[in-house]
Amino acid sequence: MRDSGRLTAPGSLLHGPVLGPEAETVTPSSQDLAQMAADYGLRPSSARPDLVSYLRLLWQRRHFIVGYATARNVSMYTEARLGQLWQVLTPLLNSAVYYLIFGVLFQQNRGIYHYTAYLVIGVFIFSFTERSIVVGSTVMRANITLIRALYFPRACLPLAYVMVELEQLLASMLVMFAIVVGTGEPFTWYWLFLVPVLALQAMFNMGAGLMMARLGAGAQDFSQLIPFLTRIWRYFCGVMYAISSLPAKLPEWSKDVLQLNPAAVYISLVRYAIMASQRAYAPGAQPYNAMKCAIFETKKTPALQAFCHPSVVTSELWIAGVGWAVVTLVAGVLFFWQAETKYGRG
């Protein structure tokens, strides 16, 4: 064969340009390549987009985020016999355990009207934040195959997983509403405040999830530590007890710190929204009366708590809720965006 020892482009060996060892290979210089890239608007694939462009990319993929979250939510319990019922059963079982321990054994239900509703709200709302943070810390490692296979803003993943937890919360809240109404709490227009409260909590969770995603991607040990930290956090948020009814010997600033931490803020706002008893008997609901307040400190009669000085009023809770949501989301986006190009390498 006269073409022996030569290579051609894909196709027939007898037609097309023939490349032989005598052909001279011209290697373009780095300047030529740079100019060619500039002419065609090309940029290095590892280059990080500016923040505005990055946010625009995230917005363009909002449908992917929602769709991915819904698909994850549907497939999460496909192998379980009870399927999607576990979205409701898990927080209900946790509530039952906490009621036995804190309501019966430790008698933390003293000073709280409709303790069952109070406890269930605390468990459901805190679980939304807890799960968003715990899952967010493992999301990058759990989806490393998808990250290496496709290009998309990596922030889509932690945001999608927060959406998964939000969808599960909304589904389980139907049971939570039934429990609240069943304990004697009326349905009022205050329930509409649930919409802005959950929106603020979702913003906070997204910011926290983005920060945890970056930290968890860098160190797997960090992901192992997060569940223990959130478990400790739960006991400082008033999930199972009323922070305002803690012993009077505690300094006031410590109660303020507990009531203004993010999880406690959103739990309190939800309770104020859907529990009329919380609004009627909250500290400061009635003019201050030293004698009645002293009786409350001794006997924990719920109605008398309204005559005590409030350490944190509702307006301060709203300010704190907005502040935590905005600051955490902005910080989370910036923190994650700075390491965008590092995810999926190797």
Side-chain angles (χ1 to χ4, degrees):
M1 295 179 61
R2 59 186 179 86
D3 291 325
S4 176
R6 298 186 178 186
L7 297 176
T8 66
S12 172
L13 291 175
L14 302 179
H15 303 284
V18 179
L19 300 178
E22 68 276 5
E24 295 184 2
T25 302
V26 178
T27 303
S29 64
S30 58
Q31 292 183 349
D32 295 336
L33 291 175
Q35 183 61 42
M36 184 182 298
D39 293 340
Y40 288 93
L42 303 178
R43 62 177 179 82
S45 60
S46 60
R48 182 182 64 196
D50 61 85
L51 182 58
V52 176
S53 300
Y54 190 68
L55 294 176
R56 188 180 297 113
L57 289 173
L58 282 177
W59 176 252
Q60 291 173 352
R61 287 161 176 80
R62 63 190 183 277
H63 301 296
F64 163 75
I65 294 175
V66 176
Y68 183 78
T70 303
R72 288 285 306 177
N73 198 15
V74 171
S75 63
M76 190 173 298
Y77 300 104
T78 53
E79 297 183 359
R81 291 181 179 272
L82 297 180
Q84 300 297 315
L85 286 177
W86 282 110
Q87 297 179 9
V88 178
L89 290 177
T90 299
L92 281 180
L93 291 174
N94 288 333
S95 299
V97 172
Y98 294 141
Y99 183 86
L100 175 63
I101 296 175
F102 293 92
V104 177
L105 297 181
F106 294 147
Q107 296 185 351
Q108 291 299 320
N109 56 345
R110 296 178 60 203
I112 303 175
Y113 268 129
H114 304 148
Y115 179 72
T116 301
Y118 185 94
L119 176 63
V120 168
I121 292 173
V123 172
F124 277 55
I125 299 303
F126 182 80
S127 295
F128 178 31
T129 295
E130 179 185 33
R131 291 290 304 163
S132 298
I133 292 176
V134 171
V135 176
S137 66
T138 62
V139 65
M140 306 307 292
R141 293 181 180 274
N143 293 275
I144 190 65
T145 303
L146 178 62
I147 291 173
R148 290 174 174 172
L150 301 173
Y151 173 76
F152 58 93
R154 309 312 188 198
C156 290
L157 289 175
L159 294 179
Y161 275 73
V162 173
M163 290 296 299
V164 170
E165 301 304 326
L166 178 59
E167 290 179 1
Q168 292 193 5
L169 174 65
L170 294 177
S172 62
M173 285 185 81
L174 296 177
V175 177
M176 186 183 78
F177 293 156
I179 294 174
V180 171
V181 174
T183 57
E185 294 290 342
F187 182 83
T188 67
W189 67 270
Y190 279 94
W191 286 44
L192 295 176
F193 283 113
L194 275 175
V195 177
V197 174
L198 293 181
L200 291 174
Q201 187 183 11
M203 290 173 59
F204 171 81
N205 291 352
M206 289 178 182
L210 288 169
M211 287 189 280
M212 294 302 105
R214 175 176 174 178
L215 295 174
Q220 188 172 2
D221 294 337
F222 182 81
S223 302
Q224 302 297 325
L225 182 63
I226 286 297
F228 297 99
L229 297 179
T230 56
R231 195 174 305 163
I232 295 173
W233 190 18
R234 180 185 307 169
Y235 296 110
F236 288 93
C237 295
V239 174
M240 296 79 68
Y241 61 90
I243 297 175
S244 59
S245 64
L246 289 174
K249 62 183 180 181
L250 291 178
E252 285 299 320
W253 65 264
S254 63
K255 294 184 180 181
D256 293 344
V257 170
L258 292 178
Q259 292 190 77
L260 291 176
N261 85 76
V265 167
Y266 299 121
I267 291 172
S268 298
L269 288 175
V270 172
R271 284 170 175 161
Y272 282 134
I274 65 178
M275 293 186 67
S277 59
Q278 286 295 300
R279 299 190 298 271
Y281 304 124
Q286 298 292 336
Y288 176 72
N289 187 303
M291 182 179 298
K292 293 182 178 180
C293 185
I295 296 175
F296 168 77
E297 296 293 346
T298 303
K299 298 185 177 181
K300 299 299 182 183
T301 304
L304 298 180
Q305 186 181 18
F307 296 93
C308 298
H309 281 308
S311 56
V312 176
V313 298
T314 308
S315 59
E316 292 174 335
L317 289 176
W318 279 106
I319 294 173
V322 173
W324 281 118
V326 174
V327 171
T328 306
L329 181 58
V330 172
V333 170
L334 292 175
F335 188 61
F336 192 92
W337 166 72
Q338 290 177 347
E340 165 70 19
T341 57
K342 297 181 181 179
Y343 305 124
R345 288 185 177 180

PDB file of all heavy atoms in Angstrom, residues 24-28:
ATOM      1  N   GLU A  24       5.377  19.267   8.264  1.00  0.00           N
ATOM      2  CA  GLU A  24       5.820  20.160   9.324  1.00  0.00           C
ATOM      3  C   GLU A  24       4.622  20.570  10.191  1.00  0.00           C
ATOM      4  O   GLU A  24       3.565  20.905   9.679  1.00  0.00           O
ATOM      5  CB  GLU A  24       6.471  21.410   8.719  1.00  0.00           C
ATOM      6  CG  GLU A  24       7.744  21.115   7.955  1.00  0.00           C
ATOM      7  CD  GLU A  24       8.391  22.384   7.454  1.00  0.00           C
ATOM      8  OE1 GLU A  24       7.838  23.464   7.749  1.00  0.00           O
ATOM      9  OE2 GLU A  24       9.430  22.298   6.795  1.00  0.00           O
ATOM     10  N   THR A  25       4.798  20.492  11.488  1.00  0.00           N
ATOM     11  CA  THR A  25       3.757  20.856  12.437  1.00  0.00           C
ATOM     12  C   THR A  25       4.040  22.253  12.965  1.00  0.00           C
ATOM     13  O   THR A  25       5.144  22.530  13.456  1.00  0.00           O
ATOM     14  CB  THR A  25       3.715  19.866  13.612  1.00  0.00           C
ATOM     15  OG1 THR A  25       3.496  18.560  13.100  1.00  0.00           O
ATOM     16  CG2 THR A  25       2.597  20.236  14.577  1.00  0.00           C
ATOM     17  N   VAL A  26       3.051  23.101  12.820  1.00  0.00           N
ATOM     18  CA  VAL A  26       3.211  24.479  13.274  1.00  0.00           C
ATOM     19  C   VAL A  26       2.484  24.632  14.609  1.00  0.00           C
ATOM     20  O   VAL A  26       1.272  24.389  14.696  1.00  0.00           O
ATOM     21  CB  VAL A  26       2.637  25.474  12.243  1.00  0.00           C
ATOM     22  CG1 VAL A  26       2.775  26.905  12.760  1.00  0.00           C
ATOM     23  CG2 VAL A  26       3.348  25.305  10.908  1.00  0.00           C
ATOM     24  N   THR A  27       3.200  24.957  15.646  1.00  0.00           N
ATOM     25  CA  THR A  27       2.607  25.146  16.979  1.00  0.00           C
ATOM     26  C   THR A  27       2.377  26.627  17.213  1.00  0.00           C
ATOM     27  O   THR A  27       3.334  27.412  17.197  1.00  0.00           O
ATOM     28  CB  THR A  27       3.534  24.596  18.069  1.00  0.00           C
ATOM     29  OG1 THR A  27       3.807  23.216  17.807  1.00  0.00           O
ATOM     30  CG2 THR A  27       2.883  24.741  19.442  1.00  0.00           C
ATOM     31  N   PRO A  28       1.130  27.022  17.400  1.00  0.00           N
ATOM     32  CA  PRO A  28       0.872  28.448  17.626  1.00  0.00           C
ATOM     33  C   PRO A  28       1.465  28.902  18.945  1.00  0.00           C
ATOM     34  O   PRO A  28       1.522  28.145  19.920  1.00  0.00           O
ATOM     35  CB  PRO A  28      -0.657  28.524  17.637  1.00  0.00           C
ATOM     36  CG  PRO A  28      -1.109  27.153  18.005  1.00  0.00           C
ATOM     37  CD  PRO A  28      -0.103  26.226  17.429  1.00  0.00           C
TER      38      PRO A  28
END
